[in-house]
Amino acid sequence: SRQLVRLMGGAIGVTSEPGAGSSFWFTLPAPVGDPAAAPAPPSSASGARVLVVDMKGEAAERVAAASHGKATAFAADVSQAAGARAMFEAAERYFGVPDIVVNNAGVGHLPQSLETLPEAEFDRLVAVNMKAIYFAMQEAVPRFKARKADARGLRGVVLNMASTAGVSPRPRLAWYNASKGFVITATRACAVELAPFGIRVNALNPV
């Protein structure tokens, strides 16, 4: 069965309380979250074994509990190199090398003039929306390259959560737009480089 690592934590705590932001399959809002949302709970019939990762363990546990025994919760801050490494090591302990990596960690910022965003919030955007993907790729790619390709010639799949904001920027969200533009360009660059190795890299652009 497919093995899936979901990257949902970031530099800020992600919870399941009402608010803004989301995860890839389950809505996990944060105080100032990522507007890119694509909630659709995974089906236990799919056979996927899922590692639900959040920097707050209780949030990951709530999501895992709703997956009918197909998910395992793990706490890590994926905006840090050590957190990304720990996540992949946990996946290997539980399931082996993952087949699919979903880079879903994301935060936004409140609408405002581009020159007024505080540097600390900009740094958070970079850490969660950009560096988390960088760290995850550093961990995923060597593992994918080292494994034997399947019958289709595929060694692994990476899915990055981008946004339509990276294609059609929205006013007063300049730096969030820019961070999602990075995700789109990084996805294209990684796809071109990794295709000869049988590693597929795609992005989703929710509104």
Side-chain angles (χ1 to χ4, degrees):
S1 60
R2 304 300 287 175
Q3 302 159 7
L4 182 64
V5 174
R6 292 179 57 206
L7 316 188
M8 300 190 303
I12 64 171
V14 182
T15 73
S16 57
E17 303 304 319
S22 68
S23 75
F24 182 61
W25 275 302
F26 291 84
T27 299
L28 290 179
V32 180
D34 185 351
S43 169
S44 60
S46 68
R49 292 180 293 170
V50 182
L51 184 65
V52 180
V53 181
D54 193 296
M55 68 179 299
K56 287 189 174 181
E58 61 272 21
E61 289 169 4
R62 283 194 294 269
V63 174
S67 69
H68 308 291
K70 295 293 184 179
T72 301
F74 186 74
D77 181 352
V78 298
S79 72
Q80 304 292 322
R85 185 178 310 113
M87 175 183 60
F88 276 86
E89 290 173 350
E92 288 180 307
R93 286 196 304 272
Y94 297 136
F95 313 128
V97 175
D99 298 308
I100 304 170
V101 175
V102 180
N103 285 315
N104 185 63
V107 294
H109 61 77
L110 294 174
Q112 59 192 278
S113 300
L114 64 89
E115 70 272 21
T116 62
L117 186 74
E119 183 178 1
E121 290 192 41
F122 179 82
D123 289 343
R124 183 177 63 179
L125 284 172
V126 171
V128 181
N129 295 1
M130 299 166 61
K131 289 184 75 174
I133 293 176
Y134 166 74
F135 291 137
M137 295 300 282
Q138 285 189 318
E139 296 295 330
V141 171
R143 289 171 167 84
F144 287 163
K145 286 182 175 179
R147 79 188 320 174
K148 183 179 179 180
D150 66 13
R152 298 165 295 173
L154 193 63
R155 285 188 167 88
V157 174
V158 178
L159 181 61
N160 296 324
M161 186 60 66
S163 169
T164 55
V167 179
S168 300
R170 306 164 190 168
R172 298 174 61 80
L173 292 171
W175 305 116
Y176 172 78
N177 298 334
S179 73
K180 291 302 182 175
F182 165 87
V183 176
I184 293 168
T185 300
T187 298
R188 289 171 172 164
C190 292
V192 169
E193 180 170 336
L194 297 175
F197 297 95
I199 301 170
R200 183 184 301 157
V201 186
N202 290 304
L204 289 179
N205 282 359
V207 176

